[in-house]
Amino acid sequence: MGLSHRGLQLLSNIATNDKHGENSPYFDGWKAYDTNPFHPTNNPEGVIQMGLAENQLCPDLIEEWIRNNPEASICTAEGVNWFRYIANFQDYHGLPEFRNAVANYMSKTRGGKVKFDPDRILMSGGATGANELIMFCLANPGEAFLVPSPFYPAFIRDLCWRPRVQLVPVECHSSNNFMITREALEDAYKKAKEDNINIKGLILTNPSNPLGSTVDRETLRSIVSFINEKNIHLVCDEIYAATVFRAPCFVSVSEVIQDMEHCNLNLIHIVYSLSKDMGLPGFRVGIIYSYNDEVVSCGRKMSSFGLVSSQTQYFLAALLSDDKFVDKYLGESARRLEQRHSHFTKGLEKVNITCLPSNAGLFCWMNLRGLLKEQTFEGEMMLWRVIINEVKLNVSPGSSFNCSEPGWFRVCFANMDDQTVDIALKRIRAFVGKETGSKPVEHKRWKSNLRLSFSSRRFEENVMSPHMMSPHSPMPRSPLVKAT
Amino acid sequence: MRLLSTKATCDTHGQGSSYFIGWEAYEKNPYDEVHNPKGIIQMGLAENQLSFDLLESWLEKNPDVSGFKRDGKSMFRELALFQDYHGLPSFKKALADFMSDIRGNKVTFDPNHMVLTAGSTSANETLMFCLAEEGDAFLLPTPYYPGFDRDLKWRTGVEIVPIQCTSSNNFQITEPALQQAYQDACKRNLRVKGVLVTNPSNPLGTTMSRSEMNLLVDFIKSQNDMHLISDEIYSGTVFSSPGFVSVMEVLKERNDLKDGDEIWNRVHVIYSLSKDLGLPGFRVGVIYSENDTVVAAATKMSSFGLVSSQTQYLLSAMLEDKKFTKNYIVENQKRLKRRQRMLVSGLKKAGISCLESNAGLFCWVDMRHLLHSNTFDAEIELWKNIVYKVGLNISPGSSCHCSEPGWFRLCFANMSEETLNLAMKRLKGFVVESTSTTQSHRSALFNASSKRNSLTKWVFRLSSRDHHRDQEER
């Protein structure tokens, strides 16, 4: 047959391009953390991970439930009768009990104001898989979605990499707390049209990552009417729905469309997950809920590429249909988030660092514009490197979220215990004091009436704090890793 | 304006095919010994339900694992948070060892070259995304697993070009067939990125020979950007000789490796626990490659379908128990062998033969003699009768892209022995009935004595094991 003349291209473009986004400088912070991770006794000067939006505040509630409900596991004596059925169950419709439980849970997290139809619930490999899947269903390669900035950086991987959809940012500004305005939407849409970009829809995260705020009802209605007018899709990633800890309460798009008669429901889709609300990212539970029958049908077939493990479906079906547990969990989780948020933001205020007012999420959108040497993105990067290398906190710079203004940083607060939060605050106070030449304000001794999120055994020698490994980390430090 | 994507509205997912229609028929009227004894028996599902008791007894002996515990301490929090796409190291190590055990340790697998995915469905798709552009093609020997149309083509835009295999040599891959497939692809202006095979084969139930594998390796060597993918999902289901030879073993054996070392960069293995361990619900797939770039890219892509940490944890404990796994592999193969023999002899009693097989969860059954004509229309007609009248959901060869009509895949490991016996009884009844129907049909066309002679010969042929040879004479 002979050698071809077609030129060597062993792998695909997708495999060799950068669109997975992992080569961005954003991940330098992760690397700094991975090579020098904070540990209260073994490495107290290490980098504290504040770039990880994980909810580690309430695992004790779930652990207690597990102890009291051994039948929820197919491996226990109480549950093993179901083992073979569940192990064999690969139906992409998903376990009916699981879908019912998820529908029930989703309804509760929206204050019971909406009912969800279990037959519209599709599974996927986490919200990562869900967002990619919905793009495959709604847009052809080269087509585009509007996305309000600042936005979750990994949208670039999830929406653009394999589906090859373009993202067109809709700029939001601090002047109005980064709210999405009709004007900004119209401008972005118009400009895209002028550039011959075919907009297929709008995707937004509500509550917002990185802002930590919920989209208000009026704005949501305006967005729904905008997409209807343009006949484009609306994908609402509501992954942080149950992290709302203070008023205003969460308004889901599913609630808003209930009294918008002229809304074309075929355009409305929700992405959800249990990774943030319930702190279960390891279980890979992504949900797509579409009001469009064709999307449900096609999406269900596509879900074959990322079904939720039946073992996990079975466990969660039991957990989430326990109304008593769910009500208790949602209440307590919101309470702990509120406490943590309040403690953290008050600590920042002591050194005149303000955050965007927020009522949800696992992070704050911190305003460090006053600390920039120059009001540019270069200035932001410079400050960021100082924060990582000298202050030793891995925070996320606003530019990685495509923010239009330099000086904003996302800082996560729910992935550590109280002591670590205080150490982080101390470091920030010292740094700011140095930068601004002012003495740090004397801080009150915080009373330890804040319940510890973790028992102290976390820091026993052989049990280190679990951290999500950065994508680049070759040597993860979870005790599960050490077990090899 | 088109509301949805082309992918959403096309039928490249292949679920309009007969393969899936049979499933739907089954779902509407499923056999149940007590509640629906006249319902359709599912023989279209390649599941391994023979060895659950072994897994259950392991669970009973290992209660710690069930409560997310290790040495009495709860692992729940760590598991709940563990989403590293590199996977649980202990799980990958245990999987690598398990894969080696299945291959009699003639090859070993390095966990650092493994990528975990949500089932081999996801593994196959991911590998396509890594190796081929939209519009490129992979060559696949026919007959092949119907789900490949969805897994390899749907969202990737990659094409499949068949390597036509025939019953004349038990559907083995030949050089002329391979060359023909390559030419076919060129005629369609498709760039061939390589070959994908399933070994052991679905739907044939046979292991691939060394000479076939060497043929394929030679073929991809002829162009330096072609790959060979070996889907070895059924590797643990080999129950009789010749044993299983993995493509990795063949590569090791080849003595042209000194200048062919780079070939290791272009050969990849797919695996899963869905068939060998009978755990399709747990969604455990593996991509194995010595090509670091492939591993790196596939690892990132696995974000879209990671294996649940809860499941990784359970299975790492199970597979680390080497005594258990060794015993499981042997016992599982014994049971599969016994069950396959039951199906083969049951079919024989109905005058039906099948391709001699040594692996898999199914047989490749020859029903050409039951066709009204040597056409795919006749095959579908026969198939419908078998699904709706006989009440057996079996898979017609056309759904597997077989080049000859009349072949069907029948699964034997997803039901009890009683159900299998019932299925054979029903099939026999159907064959007898259609034989007598054909008898009376033919008597209207031929004179009595020649009719009787030809009929006797024909009935004799039906029960002969050399049936496929007789076919050529027809």
Side-chain angles (χ1 to χ4, degrees), chain A residues 430-479:
Chain A
F431 170 68
V432 173
K434 215 173 69 184
E435 290 293 299
T436 60
S438 60
K439 243 175 39 179
V441 175
E442 269 184 30
H443 60 277
K444 277 199 305 206
R445 258 194 161 273
W446 289 101
K447 284 177 66 181
S448 51
N449 57 354
L450 293 171
R451 182 153 25 137
L452 283 176
S453 301
F454 309 111
S455 70
S456 59
R457 74 166 175 74
R458 290 226 89 131
F459 299 111
E460 281 167 23
E461 236 183 358
N462 59 342
V463 179
M464 290 163 68
S465 319
H467 297 286
M468 182 215 130
M469 296 315 122
S470 94
H472 279 300
S473 169
M475 292 295 293
R477 289 167 182 273
S478 154

Side-chain angles (χ1 to χ4, degrees), chain B residues 47-252:
Chain B
E47 274 175 5
N48 182 357
Q49 296 185 21
L50 302 188
S51 303
F52 282 128
D53 58 309
L54 301 178
L55 302 173
E56 285 158 352
S57 101
W58 185 90
L59 288 172
E60 272 159 38
K61 300 196 186 102
N62 292 270
D64 242 20
V65 167
S66 57
F68 293 109
K69 287 201 218 89
R70 172 181 288 138
D71 302 326
K73 290 206 185 93
S74 170
M75 298 297 293
F76 170 74
R77 303 167 186 230
E78 288 80 2
L79 285 173
L81 296 172
F82 188 83
Q83 57 172 323
D84 180 2
Y85 60 27
H86 293 99
L88 207 58
S90 58
F91 180 46
K92 281 169 68 170
K93 174 90 182 42
L95 248 184
D97 289 346
F98 185 67
M99 288 170 72
S100 301
D101 278 346
I102 286 175
R103 290 153 183 73
N105 291 301
K106 292 185 220 131
V107 283
T108 51
F109 292 87
D110 177 356
N112 292 323
H113 287 133
M114 280 169 67
V115 181
L116 298 176
T117 60
S120 64
T121 298
S122 176
N124 278 311
E125 190 197 44
T126 297
L127 208 45
M128 283 299 112
F129 272 121
C130 287
L131 304 181
E133 306 296 343
E134 192 165 346
D136 285 345
F138 261 78
L139 309 181
L140 266 68
T142 64
Y144 64 77
Y145 164 55
F148 277 150
D149 289 326
R150 172 195 60 195
D151 302 349
L152 308 181
K153 293 169 45 171
W154 191 16
R155 306 191 306 180
T156 62
V158 171
E159 284 297 331
I160 294 176
V161 175
I163 304 167
Q164 301 293 7
C165 301
T166 66
S167 57
S168 59
N169 70 339
N170 292 335
F171 296 96
Q172 292 196 44
I173 304 171
T174 65
E175 169 128 31
L178 191 49
Q179 296 296 344
Q180 182 61 53
Y182 187 82
Q183 293 309 321
D184 291 344
C186 290
K187 275 196 212 107
R188 289 168 60 183
N189 266 322
L190 299 170
R191 179 173 66 169
V192 176
K193 283 312 306 258
V195 181
L196 186 149
V197 298
T198 309
N199 176 27
S201 163
N202 175 10
L204 303 177
T206 53
T207 47
M208 194 172 275
S209 63
R210 270 188 171 79
S211 60
E212 280 172 285
M213 278 190 273
N214 276 308
L215 171 67
L216 295 175
V217 176
D218 287 337
F219 175 74
I220 63 157
K221 277 186 81 172
S222 68
Q223 274 182 105
N224 51 12
D225 58 355
M226 284 210 288
H227 298 266
L228 175 58
I229 302 172
S230 180
D231 184 346
E232 301 187 349
I233 190 177
Y234 290 99
S235 46
T237 67
V238 180
F239 49 77
S240 61
S241 65
F244 176 61
V245 178
S246 165
V247 70
M248 298 307 238
E249 202 183 322
V250 163
L251 275 191
K252 253 176 97 170

Side-chain angles (χ1 to χ4, degrees), chain A residues 301, chain B residues 7-8 10-16 20 146-147 149-151 154:
Chain A
K301 297 177 180 71
Chain B
K7 289 181 176 80
C10 69
D11 56 9
T12 313
H13 50 70
Q15 288 198 210
F20 294 102
D149 289 326
R150 172 195 60 195
D151 302 349
W154 191 16

Side-chain angles (χ1 to χ4, degrees), chain A residues 1-4 6-16 20 22 54-56 59-60 62-63 66 73-76 80 83-84 86-90 92 125 128-129 132-133 136-141 143 157-158 161-162 164 200 231 233 266-267 279-284 292 294-295 298 301-302 304-312 315 453-455 457-458 460 462-464 466 468-469 471-473 476 478-481 483-484, chain B residues 1-9 13 15 45 47-49 52-53 55-56 59-60 65-68 70 73-86 88-90 93 118 121-122 125-126 128-134 150-151 154-156 179 182 191-193 219 221-227 265-266 275 278-283 291 293-294 297 300-301 303-314 318 320:
Chain A
M1 202 175 310
L3 280 171
S4 86
R6 60 197 190 185
L8 179 64
Q9 194 191 336
L10 193 58
L11 304 191
S12 67
N13 285 332
I14 288 179
T16 48
H20 48 72
E22 289 189 23
E54 270 180 5
N55 184 353
Q56 294 187 21
D60 55 311
I62 304 181
E63 278 168 340
I66 290 174
S73 162
I74 50 174
C75 307
T76 57
V80 77
F83 179 81
R84 57 181 70 194
I86 295 298
N88 210 41
F89 186 87
Q90 58 170 327
Y92 62 18
T128 299
E132 189 196 47
L133 190 155
F136 273 124
C137 287
L138 302 182
N140 284 340
E143 293 181 331
R157 173 196 60 193
D158 302 347
W161 192 22
R162 303 192 310 183
R164 290 184 281 149
K200 284 310 296 278
N231 198 29
H233 292 279
N266 282 326
L267 300 174
L280 302 173
F283 288 9
R284 313 314 305 146
N292 181 320
E294 255 190 283
V295 170
C298 157
K301 297 177 180 71
M302 278 192 192
S304 296
F305 299 111
L307 296 174
V308 176
S309 166
S310 54
Q311 176 194 18
T312 302
F315 167 73
S453 301
F454 309 111
S455 70
R457 74 166 175 74
R458 290 226 89 131
E460 281 167 23
N462 59 342
V463 179
M464 290 163 68
M468 182 215 130
M469 296 315 122
H472 279 300
S473 169
S478 154
L480 298 165
V481 172
T484 338
Chain B
M1 179 177 112
R2 175 191 39 84
L3 196 59
L4 303 189
S5 68
T6 308
K7 289 181 176 80
T9 46
H13 50 70
Q15 288 198 210
L45 199 44
E47 274 175 5
N48 182 357
Q49 296 185 21
F52 282 128
D53 58 309
L55 302 173
E56 285 158 352
L59 288 172
E60 272 159 38
V65 167
S66 57
F68 293 109
R70 172 181 288 138
K73 290 206 185 93
S74 170
M75 298 297 293
F76 170 74
R77 303 167 186 230
E78 288 80 2
L79 285 173
L81 296 172
F82 188 83
Q83 57 172 323
D84 180 2
Y85 60 27
H86 293 99
L88 207 58
S90 58
K93 174 90 182 42
T121 298
S122 176
E125 190 197 44
T126 297
M128 283 299 112
F129 272 121
C130 287
L131 304 181
E133 306 296 343
E134 192 165 346
R150 172 195 60 195
D151 302 349
W154 191 16
R155 306 191 306 180
T156 62
Q179 296 296 344
Y182 187 82
R191 179 173 66 169
V192 176
K193 283 312 306 258
F219 175 74
K221 277 186 81 172
S222 68
Q223 274 182 105
N224 51 12
D225 58 355
M226 284 210 288
H227 298 266
N265 273 336
R266 303 197 268 131
K275 310 294 178 184
L279 304 173
F282 288 3
R283 314 315 301 144
N291 184 321
T293 318
V294 170
K300 294 178 179 71
M301 285 190 196
S303 295
F304 302 110
L306 297 174
V307 179
S308 168
S309 59
Q310 179 192 23
T311 301
Q312 291 191 53
Y313 183 67
L314 165 65
M318 196 181 271
E320 270 166 10

